[in-house]
Amino acid sequence: MVSKLDLYKVFCKVAKSESFSKAAKDLYLTQPAVSQAIMQLERELDIRLFNRTPRGVSLTNEGSILFEYVNSAINLIDVGEEKILELKNLTTGELKIGVGDTISRYFLLPYLEAFHNRYPNIKFYIVNGTTFELCSILKSGEVDIVICNLPIDDPTLELRPCFDIQDTFVYGEKFKKIFSKPLSLHELVKLPLIFLEPKSNSRKYVEDYMISKGIKISPEFELGSHDLLLDFAKINLGIACVTKEFSQEYLNKGWVYEVQLNEEIPKRNIGVCFLKSVPLSPASTKFVEIIENK
């Protein structure tokens, strides 16, 4: 069955070429098929669109008016198809990412660089927030993917763990004597502790683990920034719970020291999250592939 759009495409081609035979050649159709398509359109519109002469065809007044609108519409469709192809081939578009400040600084940047080098015409739109906040805006459609601390218990989200991290505790020069030998978590909580704020997924993970061991924490300081945890520990305000992989500069330069515990807190992951119910855009798909394969 020939669609109305197909009829209009034949109509435009005949109008431009002023010939059924030339239009048929351009459309890879037979001349009778082109003639039949024009006759069908004329019947459906109940109007004559072309003047037929031995030398070819020309638009009637009514046909000229119709051509002006139909040709514009088909051109817009062609432009739309080209834009879709550009998005598919990643020659244009936008990638919207939700990510926490710390993960953005210590984990995400190399992947942004690699993606940008490969697809320079894709624009980045970055939103920062806590894991809970980022999952909320992911569900509202404000971002395509979220890169955050796992675990997350949400059946609507697809979770792709991609980087193992270790929670640990660090201290400054003042506390060196106390940590001359390994301590238990029960001994550690008797000291002034510095944690992220309670709404942080990192804080919740460590706190839940300690509670499972019968240990309740009462931090001396609760902060909103991982870098502040390190700075507070560096000036001896307490023992900070940090992510080891994001604290290497402070540890390597001797600004802080790692607490040796009798038992390590189990490792967790940083991962990519996206909605199960919404297919990833081509840009998002490629970005996830870069993270998983790098």
Side-chain angles (χ1 to χ4, degrees):
M1 182 178 178
V2 180
S3 70
K4 198 68 165 285
L5 179 60
D6 290 330
L7 295 179
Y8 280 131
K9 286 182 176 179
V10 172
F11 165 71
C12 284
K13 184 62 70 174
V14 172
K16 290 176 181 178
S17 62
E18 298 183 336
S19 166
F20 282 176
S21 59
K22 288 181 180 177
K25 185 177 180 181
D26 291 341
L27 294 169
Y28 302 99
L29 296 173
T30 63
Q31 183 171 333
V34 170
S35 298
Q36 187 176 1
I38 296 301
M39 290 173 61
Q40 181 181 340
L41 187 59
E42 288 179 326
R43 283 197 305 270
E44 290 185 10
L45 297 175
D46 193 23
I47 200 166
R48 189 163 56 88
L49 298 172
F50 290 99
N51 297 310
R52 278 84 166 169
T53 69
R55 301 174 62 180
V57 295
S58 62
L59 288 166
T60 62
N61 289 335
E62 296 83 356
S64 295
I65 294 172
L66 182 64
F67 176 77
E68 181 180 344
Y69 290 99
V70 171
N71 189 54
S72 295
I74 289 177
N75 285 339
L76 285 174
I77 291 172
D78 291 339
V79 170
E81 290 179 344
E82 288 175 7
K83 292 297 181 185
I84 292 298
L85 189 60
E86 288 175 0
L87 290 171
K88 186 176 179 181
N89 294 333
L90 300 180
T91 55
T92 188
E94 186 179 60
L95 177 57
K96 296 177 287 186
I97 302 172
V99 63
D101 290 334
T102 304
I103 295 175
S104 180
R105 177 179 178 184
Y106 292 103
F107 172 76
L108 185 62
L109 290 180
Y111 300 105
L112 293 177
E113 181 182 16
F115 184 88
H116 180 67
N117 289 339
R118 196 174 301 179
Y119 308 108
N121 295 320
I122 303 295
K123 296 179 180 179
F124 291 119
Y125 174 66
I126 309 294
V127 179
N128 295 119
T130 65
T131 296
F132 177 79
E133 292 166 344
L134 295 174
C135 288
S136 295
I137 64 172
L138 176 63
K139 292 178 181 179
S140 70
E142 293 180 50
V143 295
D144 303 312
I145 60 174
V146 161
I147 301 169
C148 60
N149 290 297
L150 303 181
I152 297 173
D153 184 16
D154 191 326
T156 67
L157 300 181
E158 176 81 20
L159 309 178
R160 300 274 185 87
C162 52
F163 183 65
D164 290 341
I165 53 176
Q166 177 69 60
D167 295 291
T168 190
F169 291 86
V170 296
Y171 60 93
E173 197 74 31
K174 175 183 171 182
F175 292 92
K176 259 192 169 182
K177 289 183 180 179
I178 298 175
F179 295 108
S180 59
K181 62 178 182 178
L183 295 183
S184 67
L185 288 173
H186 287 87
E187 293 171 310
L188 182 68
V189 294
K190 296 175 183 177
L191 299 169
L193 298 179
I194 308 170
F195 269 79
L196 287 170
E197 56 196 357
K199 65 180 181 179
S200 160
N201 206 45
S202 299
R203 156 76 178 270
K204 186 176 184 300
Y205 177 80
V206 175
E207 189 169 11
D208 286 349
Y209 175 75
M210 296 179 79
I211 288 173
S212 73
K213 299 293 183 180
I215 304 169
K216 185 177 181 180
I217 64 170
S218 182
E220 194 84 7
F221 298 98
E222 295 178 325
L223 307 173
S225 161
H226 186 271
D227 288 346
L228 280 178
L229 294 174
L230 292 165
D231 288 335
F232 273 45
K234 179 183 176 183
I235 61 174
N236 303 302
L237 293 180
I239 317 304
C241 181
V242 298
T243 303
K244 185 174 182 178
E245 288 73 14
F246 302 156
S247 308
Q248 289 304 308
E249 181 183 5
Y250 280 70
L251 290 167
N252 292 339
K253 291 183 176 180
W255 293 342
V256 295
Y257 307 92
E258 185 177 5
V259 174
Q260 300 304 310
L261 294 171
N262 290 332
E263 58 173 310
E264 282 190 340
I265 298 168
K267 288 187 176 183
R268 55 192 176 90
N269 313 102
I270 289 171
V272 181
C273 309
F274 49 91
L275 291 172
K276 290 180 178 178
S277 58
V278 180
L280 284 176
S281 67
S284 299
T285 300
K286 289 297 181 184
F287 190 75
V288 172
E289 288 177 2
I290 286 175
I291 291 179
E292 290 183 328
N293 298 328
K294 193 171 175 66

